[in-house]
Amino acid sequence: MESRIERIKKQLHSSSYKLTPQREATVRVLLEREEDHLSAEDVYLLVKEKAPEIGLATVYRTLELLTELKIVDKINFGDGVSRYDLRKEGAAHFHHHLVCIECGSVAEIEDDLLEDVEQIVERDFNFKIKDHRLTFHGICYRCQEKEQKEDEQ
Amino acid sequence: MESRIERIKKQLHSSSYKLTPQREATVRVLLEREEDHLSAEDVYLLVKEKAPEIGLATVYRTLELLTELKIVDKINFGDGVSRYDLRKEGAAHFHHHLVCIECGSVAEIEDDLLEDVEQIVERDFNFKIKDHRLTFHGICYRCQEKEQKEDEQ
DNA sequence: ATTCCTGCAAAATGTTTGCAGTCAG
DNA sequence: CTGACTGCAAACATTTTGCAGGAAT
């Protein structure tokens, strides 16, 4: 069984890039924190724990490279910070996000909910879709419960 | 018939803000360029043509205010720049965008295509949706035609 | 030797803030 | 007079770049 990291290594090689120790450390952090949506700074601090000599610029360059190769997705929730998110393997499309406007938590949805919508857009607007980004802003179930309890009192 | 600007004025007043000349000039630019997706800098330069004494900070403060009052939407297409887009009057939801990865053009879709999807999300994920952002990345019809012609040669 | 990659520092970019002055009620 | 608003400049945060040195082939 080939590991995820080895497959990423091959992806890099097939575009004539190397998996240097710094790049590997960065990828490992992203793998370990797959559920999160880390900023470049976050990644930098976590990588620094394993490889203290790494520079922030290298992290940026690595994340840019991984974005180019579609290994990670660069997203932006409206605060001024870019966040980086590993693509699920084999996922043709970007996954969707549920951002809670109360607590700021971010959940992911893997389901491809947009097939019908994309058909409509491609047909009606004659637009050839390559990718999409869908984010819902609202209130997560935890904050809903919290509000209910407060109302009861 | 009440003008759009007057209605915006009332919206400001009802939250105890004034429609100062600078704010009015800013809103007028947004009205005139409703189809575009202007950055703060873009807005600043256009406002400066009418009111050269205005400062960039004022434009930022005005755009922030208008965003707060949901008169404009602040959007981000992944380059590091925030763009500002007048909300259609009465639109409960953010409209959608088609971003062309060839020429960078941005088209808007007013149709609410997400009603079904939102029902699924609210039910399956127990998430109370307040707003959404949907952007498709792909190739617009103009660039598709261009590519076809190149292929024919 | 050549090419790619790195760390550091400096620069660039986009946005926010502090402050003194202005304006309207 | 008071509070809201403004322009300017400085500060700030994030990201990118230039460069000299290093590692791999």
Side-chain angles (χ1 to χ4, degrees):
Chain A
M1 173 62 184
E2 205 177 26
S3 77
R4 187 95 180 262
I5 242 253
E6 279 167 44
R7 282 192 296 272
I8 289 174
K9 187 172 181 176
K10 283 190 184 169
Q11 272 184 275
L12 287 173
H13 284 168
S14 71
S15 305
S16 358
Y17 294 112
K18 295 169 200 163
L19 185 64
T20 62
Q22 291 90 335
R23 288 179 182 164
E24 183 170 341
T26 305
V27 171
R28 282 192 189 283
V29 163
L30 292 173
L31 281 166
E32 280 163 21
R33 305 287 294 260
E34 226 181 323
E35 298 312 308
D36 295 346
H37 301 80
L38 303 173
S39 68
E41 184 84 27
D42 295 337
V43 175
Y44 172 61
L45 293 173
L46 288 166
V47 174
K48 235 176 149 49
E49 290 175 13
K50 313 181 170 200
E53 73 291 352
I54 200 169
L56 179 56
T58 301
V59 172
Y60 270 104
R61 285 187 278 233
T62 301
L63 291 171
E64 193 195 357
L65 177 61
L66 295 172
T67 304
E68 223 167 82
L69 298 180
K70 305 218 183 247
I71 294 167
V72 311
D73 284 308
K74 187 176 176 179
I75 43 179
N76 201 301
F77 292 130
D79 52 348
V81 199
S82 292
R83 296 174 181 281
Y84 298 85
D85 211 1
L86 261 195
R87 255 186 202 225
K88 292 283 175 294
E89 278 189 287
H93 278 297
F94 204 78
H95 52 256
H96 315 306
H97 294 99
L98 305 180
V99 180
C100 180
I101 54 182
E102 297 284 332
C103 67
S105 70
V106 179
E108 301 192 351
I109 311 181
E110 287 304 323
D111 318 27
D112 200 346
L113 304 162
L114 290 180
E115 284 180 13
D116 296 346
V117 173
E118 293 196 347
Q119 270 190 21
I120 295 171
V121 171
E122 294 224 337
R123 196 189 57 215
D124 292 2
F125 296 88
N126 196 8
F127 186 85
K128 202 176 184 180
I129 296 172
K130 296 287 186 183
D131 204 353
H132 57 227
R133 320 222 137 188
L134 174 59
T135 306
F136 291 104
H137 298 254
I139 302 175
C140 71
Y141 68 93
R142 283 181 301 266
C143 289
Q144 285 179 48
E145 281 173 11
K146 221 181 291 163
E147 280 180 16
Q148 265 185 6
K149 274 185 194 156
E150 284 168 14
D151 288 350
E152 280 165 17
Q153 288 173 3
Chain B
M1 173 62 186
E2 204 178 27
S3 77
R4 187 95 179 261
I5 256 259
E6 279 166 43
R7 282 192 297 273
I8 289 173
K9 188 173 179 176
K10 282 188 182 166
Q11 271 184 275
L12 287 174
H13 284 167
S14 71
S15 304
S16 0
Y17 295 112
K18 295 170 201 163
L19 185 64
T20 62
Q22 291 90 337
R23 287 178 183 167
E24 183 171 339
T26 305
V27 172
R28 283 192 190 283
V29 162
L30 292 173
L31 281 166
E32 282 163 20
R33 306 286 295 259
E34 226 182 323
E35 297 312 308
D36 296 345
H37 301 79
L38 304 172
S39 67
E41 184 85 26
D42 295 337
V43 174
Y44 172 61
L45 292 173
L46 289 166
V47 174
K48 232 175 153 50
E49 290 176 13
K50 313 181 171 199
E53 73 290 353
I54 201 171
L56 180 56
T58 302
V59 172
Y60 270 104
R61 285 187 279 233
T62 301
L63 290 171
E64 194 195 355
L65 177 61
L66 295 172
T67 304
E68 223 167 79
L69 297 179
K70 305 218 185 247
I71 295 167
V72 311
D73 283 309
K74 187 175 177 180
I75 43 179
N76 202 300
F77 292 131
D79 52 350
V81 198
S82 292
R83 297 175 181 281
Y84 299 85
D85 213 1
L86 217 36
R87 252 188 205 223
K88 292 285 175 292
E89 279 188 287
H93 277 298
F94 204 79
H95 52 256
H96 315 306
H97 294 97
L98 306 180
V99 180
C100 179
I101 54 182
E102 297 284 333
C103 68
S105 70
V106 180
E108 301 192 352
I109 311 181
E110 287 305 322
D111 319 26
D112 201 346
L113 304 162
L114 291 179
E115 283 178 15
D116 295 347
V117 174
E118 293 196 347
Q119 270 191 22
I120 295 171
V121 172
E122 294 223 337
R123 195 189 58 216
D124 291 2
F125 295 89
N126 196 7
F127 186 84
K128 201 175 184 184
I129 295 172
K130 295 287 186 184
D131 204 354
H132 57 226
R133 322 225 135 186
L134 173 59
T135 305
F136 291 105
H137 297 253
I139 304 177
C140 70
Y141 66 95
R142 282 182 301 267
C143 289
Q144 284 179 47
E145 282 173 12
K146 220 181 293 164
E147 281 181 14
Q148 266 186 3
K149 275 186 193 154
E150 284 168 15
D151 288 350
E152 281 166 16
Q153 288 171 3

